[in-house]
């Protein structure tokens, strides 16, 4: 690297903090701006795929992430109406040792937050960024204060970024979620994400989600699919009405859901789908959900943000001109982004929609076909984030 750059990052999520850690390690002066008084994670448990795990390895955090998380070797789902297995993705179909790692978002956040601070990045809390000047590389806060000019500004504000001019399409369905104690006697698989479906309008999911800290109890993350326009009605009705529906779909979750006593024990998440093109404008670059937001059906949000962060650091390390480096970054990531945006667009309605036809196609045609070679290998590559060879494009190899 020829020079040390002054870089401002808007957003202290997984992508923003990973970028801060990687860039600060390269000798750049990095300041991260976050709207909250105390920075912290927002969101449910997630699956780190081999892509994200490899980037964590580059940060020296993979071993810790694997120790805090739970191994995921299979994604498995049953249709209530047909009783058929309609989702069965086995990581081992691609490579015997391949797996994901399910982790609580706070645990992952603490790892990348610590790495950013250790690398020398500075975090400015209570600073809500509301605008930016990409040509001058200046960030504007809600207070009216300006920050910069920087040599480069990074938009890591997420799916609702005010720095992204492309509106996101609010998806009809979101999800209620909760992190709960792992039910040792309920019969759930400790290395699988399991789901149950009623058509495509009802879906429940359970996955192990590791532990918040070393020595802490094991946990599970529970998901319940719900239309966004039904959330207010859900909150207005007695919680037992929802619990009855949840147990009707999946009776075995009774002991898991026992700790849920009020609506506030479940968090509602809305989803958006959009891609902001171009990813680069002047001396501003978008990473993570601020560039490519999608339904979490494929579980790739945090993994793709980690890939973006590494790609940005790599591009700046091999190009002396900032604009050339940003174009290099966009080229490294564009194919993978397009592939997963397309797959999210195609797959989401099959599992979350009001369609009556798609679930029938899924149950009676698509599910049997996915068991025929090479479908199991393709599905494993898709879920693990390997389609489009994103690691190879960054000059990396999978760790397994």
């Amino acid at each position: 690297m020829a020079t040390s750059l002054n870089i401002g990052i808007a957003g202290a999520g997984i992508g923003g903090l990973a970028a801060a850690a990687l860039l600060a390690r390269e000798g750049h002066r990095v300041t991260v701006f976050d709207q909250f008084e105390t920075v912290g994670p927002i969101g449910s448990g997630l699956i780190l795929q081999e892509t994200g795990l490899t980037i964590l390895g580059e940060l020296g955090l993979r071993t810790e992430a694997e120790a805090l998380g739970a191994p995921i070797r299979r994604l498995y789902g049953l249709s209530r109406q047909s009783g058929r297995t309609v989702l069965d993705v086995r990581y081992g179909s691609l490579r015997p040792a391949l797996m994901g790692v399910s982790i609580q978002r706070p645990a992952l956040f603490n790892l990348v937050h610590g790495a950013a601070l250790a690398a020398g990045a500075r975090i400015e809390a209570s600073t809500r960024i509301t605008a930016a000047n990409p040509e001058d590389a200046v960030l504007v806060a809600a207070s009216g204060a300006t920050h910069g000019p920087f040599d480069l500004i990074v938009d890591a504000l997420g799916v609702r970024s005010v720095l992204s001019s492309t509106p996101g399409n609010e998806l009809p369905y979101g999800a209620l979620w909760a992190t709960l104690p792992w039910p040792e006697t309920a019969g759930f698989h400790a290395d699988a994400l399991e789901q149950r479906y009623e058509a495509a309008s009802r879906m429940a999911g359970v996955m192990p989600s590791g532990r918040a800290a070393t020595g802490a109890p094991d946990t599970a993350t529970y998901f319940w699919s719900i239309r966004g326009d039904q959330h207010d009605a859900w909150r207005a009705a007695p919680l037992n009405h929802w619990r009855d529906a949840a147990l009707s779909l999946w009776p075995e979750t009774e002991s898991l859901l026992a700790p849920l006593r009020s609506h506030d024990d479940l968090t509602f998440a809305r989803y958006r789908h959009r891609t902001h093109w171009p990813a680069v404008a002047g001396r501003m670059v978008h990473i993570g959900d601020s560039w490519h937001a999608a339904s979490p059906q494929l579980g790739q949000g945090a993994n793709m943000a980690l890939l973006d962060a590494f790609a940005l650091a790599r591009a700046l390390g091999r190009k002396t001109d900032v604009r050339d480096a940003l174009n290099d970054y966009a080229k490294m990531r564009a194919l993978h982004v397009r592939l997963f945006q397309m797959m999210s667009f195609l797959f989401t309605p099959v599992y979350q929609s009001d369609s009556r036809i798609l679930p029938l196609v899924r149950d009676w045609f698509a599910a049997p076909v996915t068991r025929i070679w090479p479908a199991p290998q393709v599905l494993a590559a898709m879920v693990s984030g390997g389609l489009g060879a994103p690691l190879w494009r960054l000059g990396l190899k999978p760790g397994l």
Side-chain angles (χ1 to χ4, degrees):
M1 183 185 65
T3 58
S4 172
L5 301 177
N6 185 21
I7 301 173
I9 300 177
I14 302 301
L17 290 172
L22 289 161
L23 292 168
R25 287 183 180 187
E26 292 296 317
H28 301 295
R29 289 165 289 137
V30 180
T31 305
V32 182
F33 299 92
D34 191 79
Q35 64 178 319
F36 296 107
E37 183 176 346
T38 302
V39 297
I42 298 176
S44 63
L46 57 93
I47 301 177
L48 288 167
Q49 307 296 351
E50 184 58 26
T51 47
L53 288 167
T54 300
I55 304 305
L56 290 177
E58 294 295 312
L59 282 165
L61 302 175
R62 178 168 183 160
T63 300
E64 292 177 83
E66 291 178 336
L68 290 171
I72 299 293
R73 296 183 174 88
R74 186 185 185 193
L75 312 184
Y76 177 69
L78 294 175
S79 169
R80 179 176 178 271
Q81 290 106 313
S82 66
R84 297 169 69 91
T85 299
V86 298
L87 174 71
D88 195 357
V89 180
R90 300 170 188 257
Y91 286 80
S93 298
L94 192 62
R95 296 199 309 275
L98 184 65
M99 66 178 184
V101 173
S102 179
I103 192 170
Q104 292 185 36
R105 195 173 292 266
L108 176 60
F109 174 88
N110 289 337
L111 291 178
V112 291
H113 180 253
L117 292 178
R122 188 163 60 95
I123 298 180
E124 291 282 348
S126 302
T127 307
R128 182 165 65 92
I129 299 300
T130 56
N133 182 326
E135 296 305 320
D136 296 334
V138 170
L139 293 168
V140 182
S143 65
T146 59
H147 299 275
F150 296 97
D151 297 308
L152 167 67
I153 52 178
V154 180
D155 174 16
L157 288 174
V159 63
R160 290 171 175 79
S161 172
V162 294
L163 306 184
S164 174
S165 59
T166 303
N169 297 321
E170 198 89 51
L171 297 176
Y173 278 81
L176 299 166
W177 65 269
T179 300
L180 301 164
W182 177 257
E184 296 288 352
T185 61
F188 298 107
H189 295 283
D191 62 352
L193 163 62
E194 300 182 68
Q195 294 181 326
R196 298 292 184 272
Y197 314 100
E198 184 176 318
S201 58
R202 280 190 177 180
M203 180 271 286
V206 175
M207 72 175 183
S209 48
R211 53 214 62 86
T214 303
D218 290 336
T219 63
T221 298
Y222 175 84
F223 302 90
W224 175 265
S225 183
I226 184 174
R227 280 190 62 95
D229 56 13
Q230 294 175 355
H231 180 240
D232 289 342
W234 173 80
R235 287 197 65 90
L239 189 65
N240 280 342
H241 290 189
W242 166 78
R243 190 188 300 273
D244 290 344
L247 296 183
S248 174
L249 176 62
W250 199 347
E252 291 81 3
T253 58
E254 183 172 12
S255 63
L256 176 67
L257 303 184
L260 300 175
R261 303 300 175 89
S262 75
H263 296 84
D264 293 335
D265 292 333
L266 290 145
T267 301
F268 177 56
R270 288 300 304 259
Y271 306 135
R272 291 187 181 188
H273 191 285
R274 67 99 185 273
T275 310
H276 180 92
W277 295 107
V280 173
R283 284 187 285 156
M284 180 171 73
V285 60
H286 304 276
I287 69 171
D289 283 351
S290 69
W291 178 13
H292 42 72
S295 162
Q297 290 290 339
L298 297 173
Q300 293 297 332
N303 296 282
M304 295 184 75
L306 289 167
L307 288 167
D308 291 348
F310 186 87
L312 178 59
R314 170 138 296 189
L316 289 169
R318 65 188 190 186
K319 300 284 185 179
T320 56
D321 182 81
V322 170
R323 294 178 190 267
D324 287 344
L326 296 185
N327 289 330
D328 189 29
Y329 157 79
K331 289 178 182 178
M332 279 191 280
R333 295 292 299 128
L335 175 61
H336 190 238
V337 167
R338 286 190 170 98
L339 278 173
F340 275 86
Q341 290 295 87
M342 178 185 69
M343 286 188 288
S344 176
F345 180 79
L346 294 174
F347 274 84
T348 295
V350 176
Y351 294 99
Q352 271 192 322
S353 72
D354 295 320
S355 173
R356 297 182 179 180
I357 302 300
L358 287 176
L360 294 175
V361 175
R362 175 195 69 197
D363 293 5
W364 297 99
F365 175 72
V369 168
T370 60
R371 300 185 183 95
I372 302 173
W373 183 91
Q377 289 75 20
V378 172
L379 287 171
M382 180 176 69
V383 167
S384 64
L387 287 186
L391 292 174
W392 177 83
R393 292 176 181 277
L394 302 185
L396 298 174
K397 293 182 179 180
L400 294 176

